[in-house]
Amino acid sequence: MHLFHRRAARLLAVLAALLSSLSTPVHAQALAAVTDSASAANSAHFDPLGQPPSGATLAQRARIAAELPFADKRDFEEARRGFIAEPPYTKIMAADGHVAWDMGSYAWLLSGKDFPSIHPSLQRQAVLNMGYGLYEVVPGHIYQVRGYDLANISFVKGDTGWIVFDPLTTRETAHAALEFINEKLGPRPVVGVVYSHSHVDHWGGVRGVIDEADAASGKVMVIAPSGFMDAAIAENVYAGNAMSRRTQWQYAVLLQRNPYGHVDQAIGKNAANGSIGLIAPNRLVAKDFEDITLDGVHMVFQNTPDTEAPVEMNTWFPQWKAFWAAENVTGTIHNIYTLRGAAVRNPLNWSKEINAALYKFGQEAEVMFASHSWPRWGNARIQEVLRAQRDAYANLNNQVLHYANQGVTINEIQNVYQVPRSLQDQWAARSYHGDVQNNARAVINRYLGHYDGNPANLIPLSPKDSAPLYVQMMGGSARIIAKGRQLHARGDDLLASEILNKLVFAEPRNQPARRLLADVYEQLGYAAESTSVRNSFLQGAFELRNGLPGGVAPRTNSPDVVRAMSTEQWLDFLGISMDPKKAESLHFTLNLVTPDNGERYAVELSNATLTNIPGYQLAKPDLTLTIDRAELNRVMTGEASFEQLAQSGKARLDGDAGVLQRLGATLVAFTPDFEVLPGTAPAHSAAPANPAKPFELPELVDTMDGD
């Protein structure tokens, strides 16, 4: 054993030296200036109860490091290629004075040190994502500003101005990027904006680069795939509050940026925290392949729906043999099922769309760039990456179904499916954002659902109900804790989590059990290559030790997002928000008319269920509500109530106005502070934003919804 640990120590030393040499090219002067102090500040665990990596974790890390293809340094060469300048600042401030973006908080990653609390492959990815500043992609024509947000913002130089691809998450970061490129390359107006797909980190900052009036007049062309507006909102509406809470885990929002905490988000450092806007596109791409020429730039758009997002599109620039891969091909294998919660994605179709790009554009492309990560240059290199990611998604789909057709279930596949060795040896096919085991389960869920065929699992007990029986049959908490410590000591942390999780659900206030489970989770987090898995385990450890802070941060809805939400989606969301116990004895019918956009809905509450149908009007409703959609938006944002608008003549209530009061009394204002693990609820839960305005919507789009 002593000999093994000496060998492990030597391997770690080699890895440290290698990571140090690889990290040097992406040093930024502004970041380097704060690296030493940041490293000192991050040398200790931020949580008094936190633990360092165990001997078993270190040994596992050494084995993994020895197998990784560190000799392949091309990503680092590509990540630094085309560097022009870095900004003199590391923080971008919001108008109200809070920090919208802080690249300097990750400066410790550039110290050249090896951090045993980070998976060696993930540390490599985290260093690569430290690129910060302005980069040239195609000389004289295409540029990127990287390190300003979760995504990259790309600038294509036309005859007279910029065409902006994916204007980041927030107005603050997008505006700072535009100012920076104009400062370095000369001021140019923005003549076009392209939204590659429907996730917020690709459109939320649009108001930082253009004015809505210029889009409405056609002065600025705003291009998006067909179905963009619905997709941009729809994914977040019905389960948005649950997604927000789960996103806190996937993005580890309670953890410090620290070797023991948050280190990276796989496709970027983190998500910016600022103002979200949305300007509707005025040019939709509907065909499989569609040509658009704007300001002298010829673009061929490839629609790729049902891939990384419900709607998405790649772009080919034939003038420069440049291929924009959107978020379909980045520096990682992505989520087939994202841990924040969303519909399971289609890995087979994803693979097919990459294959189409490979043969349509990849045979002659000389540069490939994307909305995350760094570009690749040279046709052979581009084809290599496209094939690796194509094959990774197809192999996942095909081989998981191969095993499923032999009886392997959703509860077993994560321990059966393995990525082919040839793909494991390619950095472009490793899973920093997605997770191989989670993605394998997602494929079975997509085709066969959650049920594994065993009738015992048809009606599973809730954990709080089943856990006491397990604890009793295992001989009580003392025996479980003793066994958990034994398993933890020898590095069997997954086994330890299995029994300790039962104990914590049976005895939520058992502090020794909670702290031991937190220690177990922490080691599992340190060992994870995927940021989503690492963050989830480490956030779990934090909440077990400390609980949730009291209340939640204020969540204000963007008027742009509310306007983009369809009236039908709003009515559907009211049905979800309604407490069925409060509605059990209620029955009413309602006609909703919005004259400014010509919509009509019939709404009915019966059997504790609110339903609606567009394009219909009831003959004898209890109430007819007539209100312009523009005024309804004010109700949704909490600026006004139906009663106030009726009094001012901006809404008309014909019939029983009490219908709205009775409906409003059943609505629950969701807040993202519910327990994930028992005993972690804050002492003071967040109160509804405004009980007097029950129709006010919660925030629909989370700024961290970038996956």
Side-chain angles (χ1 to χ4, degrees):
M1 182 62 73
H2 292 300
L3 178 61
F4 176 80
H5 282 302
R6 285 199 298 274
R7 289 175 177 170
R10 284 198 295 271
L11 284 171
L12 288 172
V14 171
L15 173 63
L18 182 56
L19 285 173
S20 176
S21 67
L22 290 179
S23 66
T24 302
V26 292
H27 272 241
Q29 293 175 3
L31 291 174
V34 295
T35 294
D36 291 339
S37 60
S39 296
N42 286 281
S43 61
H45 202 299
F46 61 88
D47 190 328
L49 296 175
Q51 300 296 316
S54 66
T57 298
L58 292 173
Q60 177 186 358
R61 189 177 190 274
R63 289 194 298 272
I64 292 169
E67 296 173 354
L68 290 167
F70 280 112
D72 181 357
K73 304 179 183 181
R74 290 175 295 170
D75 284 332
F76 284 91
E77 296 163 359
E78 290 164 335
R80 74 171 183 263
R81 180 169 170 173
F83 175 74
I84 295 174
E86 63 188 15
Y89 50 81
T90 60
K91 291 182 180 179
I92 297 172
M93 307 302 293
D96 65 3
H98 80 265
V99 178
W101 181 250
D102 184 5
M103 195 64 167
S105 62
Y106 294 98
W108 50 271
L109 279 162
L110 297 180
S111 65
K113 295 180 180 178
D114 178 42
F115 298 102
S117 55
I118 308 173
H119 188 289
S121 177
L122 176 57
Q123 180 171 337
R124 175 187 179 279
Q125 183 78 355
V127 172
L128 280 163
N129 281 333
M130 289 299 292
Y132 183 52
L134 176 62
Y135 295 79
E136 185 178 64
V137 178
V138 174
H141 299 292
I142 300 177
Y143 303 86
Q144 287 188 316
V145 175
R146 302 183 208 140
Y148 271 51
D149 208 323
L150 186 66
N152 303 325
I153 183 171
S154 299
F155 295 87
V156 178
K157 189 176 183 181
D159 291 340
T160 64
W162 297 119
I163 303 171
V164 177
F165 274 66
D166 287 0
L168 306 181
T169 310
T170 71
R171 179 184 57 78
E172 292 86 348
T173 51
H175 185 67
L178 178 61
E179 284 193 326
F180 188 57
I181 192 172
N182 279 338
E183 173 193 334
K184 295 301 178 183
L185 301 182
R188 299 172 67 84
V190 174
V191 297
V193 172
V194 175
Y195 303 140
S196 71
H197 65 284
S198 53
H199 292 149
V200 68
D201 53 321
H202 303 266
W203 50 262
V206 65
R207 289 187 180 273
V209 296
I210 63 169
D211 293 326
E212 186 170 21
D214 290 337
S217 69
K219 180 180 178 182
V220 175
M221 185 182 291
V222 182
I223 307 169
S226 183
F228 168 82
M229 287 296 281
D230 180 68
I233 305 302
E235 189 173 64
N236 302 274
V237 173
Y238 301 132
N241 190 68
M243 286 184 183
S244 293
R245 177 69 173 106
R246 290 163 59 134
T247 298
Q248 294 172 19
W249 283 57
Q250 186 177 351
Y251 281 66
V253 299
L254 295 181
L255 303 186
Q256 289 187 18
R257 294 162 184 187
N258 180 288
Y260 300 100
H262 193 278
V263 303
D264 200 58
Q265 209 54 51
I267 52 176
K269 297 314 299 178
N270 213 322
N273 178 24
S275 302
I276 295 176
L278 177 57
I279 295 174
N282 53 28
R283 177 65 164 87
L284 294 176
V285 174
K287 299 176 183 177
D288 291 344
F289 295 94
E290 194 162 332
D291 290 66
I292 296 176
T293 298
L294 173 61
D295 201 31
V297 178
H298 180 200
M299 298 172 285
V300 182
F301 291 97
Q302 176 196 4
N303 254 320
T304 64
D306 197 22
T307 52
E308 189 271 335
V311 298
E312 190 150 354
M313 60 186 187
N314 301 327
T315 310
W316 169 243
F317 299 89
Q319 296 152 292
W320 309 308
K321 295 186 177 181
F323 176 59
W324 158 263
E327 199 169 333
N328 286 315
V329 181
T330 61
T332 175
I333 294 302
H334 219 288
N335 296 294
I336 301 305
Y337 168 70
T338 176
L339 298 188
R340 67 176 168 84
V344 174
R345 292 161 184 164
N346 187 337
L348 183 59
N349 187 63
W350 200 331
S351 171
K352 287 178 180 293
E353 294 290 2
I354 294 175
N355 209 22
L358 170 63
Y359 285 98
K360 181 79 171 178
F361 310 122
Q363 303 305 301
E364 56 179 314
E366 291 299 330
V367 61
M368 177 172 67
F369 65 117
S371 57
H372 296 279
S373 307
W374 48 91
R376 275 81 172 210
W377 282 270
N379 187 255
R381 172 63 163 160
I382 292 166
Q383 291 200 42
E384 172 195 343
V385 173
L386 287 171
R387 282 190 171 88
Q389 295 217 350
R390 175 199 66 183
D391 292 349
Y393 292 115
N395 184 272
L396 174 74
N397 183 86
N398 297 344
Q399 293 308 306
V400 166
L401 292 178
H402 172 86
Y403 290 121
N405 279 307
Q406 297 181 74
V408 178
T409 73
I410 193 171
N411 295 320
E412 299 169 315
I413 189 62
Q414 70 276 10
N415 299 313
V416 175
Y417 173 72
Q418 290 186 334
V419 177
R421 184 73 250 177
S422 58
L423 286 174
Q424 291 183 44
D425 289 339
Q426 299 187 59
W427 292 115
R430 299 198 69 89
S431 297
Y432 304 107
H433 203 36
D435 171 66
V436 173
Q437 293 167 310
N438 177 54
N439 279 346
R441 299 187 75 205
V443 172
I444 291 188
N445 188 45
R446 179 178 179 88
Y447 288 95
L448 296 173
H450 68 272
Y451 176 48
D452 64 357
N454 182 347
N457 297 324
L458 268 176
I459 313 172
L461 293 167
S462 297
K464 66 180 179 62
D465 296 326
S466 64
L469 177 61
Y470 281 94
V471 171
Q472 178 188 356
M473 297 305 294
M474 283 188 280
S477 62
R479 293 189 65 180
I480 296 172
I481 289 174
K483 185 64 175 178
R485 285 178 176 147
Q486 182 185 39
L487 293 168
H488 178 49
R490 71 185 193 208
D492 287 331
D493 288 307
L494 275 176
L495 287 176
S497 70
E498 180 77 13
I499 60 174
L500 291 169
N501 181 64
K502 303 290 187 189
L503 180 52
V504 167
F505 270 90
E507 301 177 11
R509 299 188 183 280
N510 187 325
Q511 287 301 320
R514 296 172 66 84
R515 290 184 178 179
L516 182 55
L517 182 57
D519 292 346
V520 165
Y521 278 177
E522 194 164 50
Q523 296 303 317
L524 291 168
Y526 293 159
E529 183 175 29
S530 162
T531 58
S532 297
V533 174
R534 173 189 172 90
N535 290 345
S536 295
F537 276 119
L538 296 186
Q539 176 94 1
F542 183 91
E543 291 193 13
L544 281 166
R545 290 166 176 158
N546 304 286
L548 275 170
V552 293
R555 298 169 61 81
T556 56
N557 227 325
S558 161
D560 291 345
V561 173
V562 169
R563 285 192 319 224
M565 185 183 190
S566 73
T567 306
E568 184 174 8
Q569 287 173 335
W570 175 69
L571 291 170
D572 288 342
F573 184 73
L574 292 183
I576 294 167
S577 302
M578 191 179 68
D579 184 341
K581 294 182 175 63
K582 294 180 180 178
E584 184 68 45
S585 61
L586 298 180
H587 181 271
F588 63 74
T589 56
L590 165 70
N591 281 340
L592 173 63
V593 182
T594 53
D596 58 342
N597 64 1
E599 290 186 330
R600 294 171 178 265
Y601 288 85
V603 182
E604 183 173 2
L605 174 58
S606 61
N607 300 309
T609 305
L610 191 71
T611 59
N612 69 84
I613 182 167
Y616 283 80
Q617 293 284 269
L618 299 165
K620 295 181 179 180
D622 295 308
L623 173 67
T624 295
L625 169 61
T626 305
I627 181 173
D628 281 345
R629 174 56 203 258
E631 296 299 330
L632 182 59
N633 290 340
R634 297 181 61 208
V635 175
M636 297 157 111
T637 58
E639 297 175 49
S641 67
F642 286 121
E643 292 77 8
Q644 290 170 334
L645 293 175
Q647 290 171 4
S648 63
K650 295 181 178 178
R652 194 170 75 245
L653 307 177
D654 297 318
D656 181 6
V659 161
L660 294 175
Q661 294 176 347
R662 293 193 292 275
L663 175 58
T666 71
L667 301 180
V668 174
F670 299 130
T671 54
D673 61 346
F674 54 81
E675 285 187 342
V676 175
L677 296 172
T680 58
H684 302 288
S685 183
N690 191 341
K693 295 177 180 176
F695 296 97
E696 180 180 4
L697 289 170
E699 188 174 29
L700 294 175
V701 176
D702 197 296
T703 59
M704 292 174 289
D705 175 22
D707 54 11

